[in-house]
Amino acid sequence: MTLVRDCPCSGQSMTLFTAPWILLTLYGEDGRHGYELAKIVKGHMEKMGVSLNTTGLYRHLRSLEKRGMLRSAWETPDKGQAKRRYFITEDGKYCLWTWIGTLRTQFDLMVRFFEEAQNLFPDATFPGKASETDGRSAMKEM
């Protein structure tokens, strides 16, 4: 069997939806520092068994700010280091709403896909996070 480790089907090249997680977090908790955002978003992903590259999160913050989805302001306390706080803009709220619609459509498509797959393989246990089954054993049932 060909290894699929580098194939898109393995999920390695899929986005972790870091940008919508950042926007959603700031919508609910505006004015967070980058470190706080990283901790919150990382927590959501770790619940699903997915790791987050914190450096990538900061790249997303800069990109979202350049695109006008976020704005930031430096907080310079009398003691300690200066920290940058991030705030969602009106454009960012619109972008979040668009993400929600896009992800909802993708979710609906995935649900439909798994319904069709279950119809084709009624006795199969599908691999992935929902089960701990080895994909090769499920493939034998096909």
Side-chain angles (χ1 to χ4, degrees):
M1 177 185 277
T2 304
L3 290 176
V4 295
R5 182 176 44 237
D6 297 324
C7 178
C9 69
S10 69
Q12 296 303 310
S13 64
M14 292 178 64
T15 178
L16 299 177
F17 306 112
T18 305
W21 273 114
I22 290 169
L23 294 170
L24 185 67
T25 301
L26 285 174
Y27 187 85
E29 304 178 49
D30 212 16
R32 292 292 187 158
H33 301 128
Y35 174 78
E36 293 172 317
L37 281 168
K39 190 174 175 183
I40 293 166
V41 172
K42 187 175 185 175
H44 289 303
M45 292 186 181
E46 286 177 345
K47 287 178 186 175
M48 297 296 297
V50 176
S51 63
L52 171 69
N53 176 339
T54 306
T55 304
L57 181 125
Y58 282 98
R59 278 194 304 267
H60 278 287
L61 286 170
R62 285 190 298 276
S63 173
L64 287 166
E65 190 171 15
K66 282 181 185 176
R67 292 177 31 228
M69 305 300 132
L70 304 178
R71 67 175 179 80
S72 67
W74 283 100
E75 179 181 85
T76 52
D78 292 335
K79 293 182 179 181
Q81 292 183 326
K83 297 178 184 176
R84 188 184 298 253
R85 288 188 175 274
Y86 292 90
F87 303 88
I88 191 168
T89 64
E90 287 304 313
D91 286 345
K93 291 174 184 177
Y94 180 77
C95 183
L96 172 60
W97 194 247
T98 303
W99 264 113
I100 290 169
T102 298
L103 293 174
R104 182 65 213 202
T105 299
Q106 293 300 314
F107 175 80
D108 292 343
L109 288 168
M110 285 186 261
V111 167
R112 183 70 185 118
F113 175 85
F114 281 106
E115 289 171 352
E116 280 298 309
Q118 194 69 63
N119 288 336
L120 289 172
F121 308 106
D123 298 325
T125 301
F126 298 124
K129 296 285 183 202
S131 94
E132 297 300 320
T133 304
D134 180 334
R136 287 174 290 238
S137 62
M139 289 286 295
K140 290 177 185 173
E141 297 178 23
M142 294 167 68

